[in-house]
Amino acid sequence: MGSDESVAERPGTWQESLRRAVRSLDELLDLLSLSRDQLPALDPTPGFPLLVPREYVRRMELSNPRDPLLLQVLPLAEENLQVSGFDSDAVGDSHSARLPGVLHKYQSRALLIATGLCAVHCRYCFRRHYPYEESPTSLSQWDSSLGYVQDNPQIDEVILSGGDPLSLGNAKLFGLLGKIASIEHVTRIRIHTRFPVMIPSRIDQDFLERLETGLLSETRKSVWMVLHVNHAREIDRHLIDACHKLRRAGVILLNQSVLLRGINDTLESQRDLCKQLADAGIVPYYLHQLDRVAGAAHFECDESTGESLVAGLRMELSGYAVPRFVRETAGEPSKTLIL
Ligand SMILES: *Cc1c(COP(=O)(O)O)cnc(C)c1O
Ligand code: SF4
């Protein structure tokens, strides 16, 4: 990623934002004017380290130990409790791996683990224990893994996931996208990312140009981007601007969120989230019941909570602004619609 590294030190770039992200618990608490005695017991040295960009910290409320953004990234001692039913491979990913980095669980779409890196570490992440070291790291390694997609014409959509695929520099990312687009029976490309939410400057001019004048106009494949916003307060003007640019470039924007206890489990917070997503031109696609990954038990809500929230949203919002409430069950041929 030679060309990407040279940009890395330039101020104002997303690479610099990532490098300057907060990795120390003390610093995070300091920035938010919080002291440890206001918070539940923390884990100062979590196996899945603290990582939160300053752009996200700025959207948190000072001196609020229950801030819904803070709770998504704060490592609690509770994560180390063994809770029965919560495992390291919550959704059966290990049974879906075909070639390194390629998960083929659902008939028509394959999911690529493009990288293990993210712009943030979400404490409830269902891939927090994923063996990322097994996935390809170079474009030539991807060539052999993509042979699987080439050989399976029923796959008409490839999903870039991870980790966060937008952690890759533009040169590498578009190198991979180009390879995917060259497979004739793949007509749609999807990117699952939380990067534009965390560090909106990731959607830079170079990214937009490669997308619009390169990938989209040269190949005519459709590009879908699924963002990951859990709370209305994550949507600020920088994210709205980035979404506007993406839509102008021809990207279709969806959102998936996770139902999280104490964070977005009230009708008011879900209503605000869905309305603001719709205002930003993002279709609320999925609301996920939490995947039961080890360390995340304290985030879980009853499914009945999600059911009544979605029923409530239906009464108030446009049909397209109400997400499908789903759970992922290992071995099922699609996500399972609850309700
Ligand atoms: C969730 C998921 C998909 C995408 O499913 P959709 O219902 O099409 O959004 C594809 N592959 C894997 C392995 C998944 O976990
Ligand atoms: S951004 Fe996605 S993959 Fe990365 S930690 Fe958060 S939920 Fe997990």
Side-chain angles (χ1 to χ4, degrees), residues 238-291:
H238 302 289
L239 175 58
I240 291 171
D241 280 355
C243 290
H244 186 66
K245 291 176 188 161
L246 286 164
R247 285 192 293 123
R248 244 184 359 207
V251 179
I252 303 152
L253 294 176
L254 306 175
N255 184 64
Q256 53 183 342
S257 61
V258 182
L259 181 59
L260 298 166
R261 192 159 89 202
I263 293 175
N264 60 9
D265 55 349
T266 64
L267 183 56
E268 189 189 8
S269 65
Q270 285 293 332
R271 179 203 303 127
D272 288 352
L273 172 62
C274 293
K275 275 186 176 178
Q276 291 197 33
L277 287 169
D279 288 348
I282 310 166
V283 180
Y285 176 40
Y286 279 148
L287 171 63
H288 291 269
Q289 175 65 8
L290 183 84
D291 293 318

Side-chain angles (χ1 to χ4, degrees), residues 58-79:
R58 276 183 221 123
R59 284 169 255 174
M60 296 177 187
E61 213 170 70
L62 294 185
S63 314
N64 179 5
R66 305 292 307 156
D67 181 88
L69 279 55
L70 172 65
L71 295 181
Q72 296 179 48
V73 300
L74 191 67
L76 301 186
E78 237 178 319
E79 292 179 19

Side-chain angles (χ1 to χ4, degrees), residues 16 54 56 83 102 212 217 245 277:
E16 193 196 59
R54 283 163 210 277
Y56 195 60
V83 181
V102 181
E212 193 175 3
S217 64
K245 291 176 188 161
L277 287 169

Side-chain angles (χ1 to χ4, degrees), residues 91 93 96 103-106 108-111 126-127 157 159 190 192 226 256 285-286 288 328 334-335:
V91 297
D93 274 347
S96 323
L103 302 185
H104 189 199
K105 205 184 263 190
Y106 305 144
S108 61
R109 48 246 191 258
L111 182 146
F126 73 105
R127 290 214 183 98
E157 178 175 17
I159 303 170
R190 201 198 305 185
H192 281 179
V226 184
Q256 53 183 342
Y285 176 40
Y286 279 148
H288 291 269
E328 186 162 350
S334 70
K335 315 248 187 264

